[in-house]
Amino acid sequence: MKTNEKADLQKKSLADLQELLGKAQEKKFNLLFKHSTTPLANPMELRAVRREIALLQTLINQKVAAK
């Protein structure tokens, strides 16, 4: 994820971040399901989704702690 994308995520509200987290977790589930049946064309996509989930969880925790 690029730096400007991270900055955009930091500006989002808590509800928006939680919605994005849900979508990312669903995407991870679908990728893992596909990968278990047939190999993915780009297995590095799993890593990118995991890192996106970690970033979103970090931002959510920071916003909750700031309240």
Side-chain angles (χ1 to χ4, degrees):
M1 188 170 281
K2 296 181 181 179
T3 306
N4 58 354
E5 292 174 1
K6 290 180 184 178
D8 290 341
L9 286 176
Q10 289 174 342
K11 295 176 185 174
K12 292 192 181 276
S13 69
L14 184 61
D16 291 340
L17 290 174
Q18 289 173 338
E19 181 181 339
L20 289 172
L21 178 62
K23 289 179 183 178
Q25 287 174 335
E26 185 177 338
K27 183 177 180 181
K28 179 184 171 192
F29 174 78
N30 290 334
L31 284 173
L32 287 172
F33 187 75
K34 287 178 187 176
H35 188 60
S36 66
T37 57
T38 59
L40 292 174
N42 183 8
M44 296 302 287
E45 192 174 0
L46 281 170
R47 178 190 282 182
V49 173
R50 276 198 320 265
R51 289 182 178 186
E52 180 182 352
I53 289 171
L55 175 64
L56 289 169
Q57 287 175 336
T58 300
L59 292 173
I60 288 170
N61 287 336
Q62 287 175 351
K63 290 199 181 274
V64 168
K67 287 186 176 182

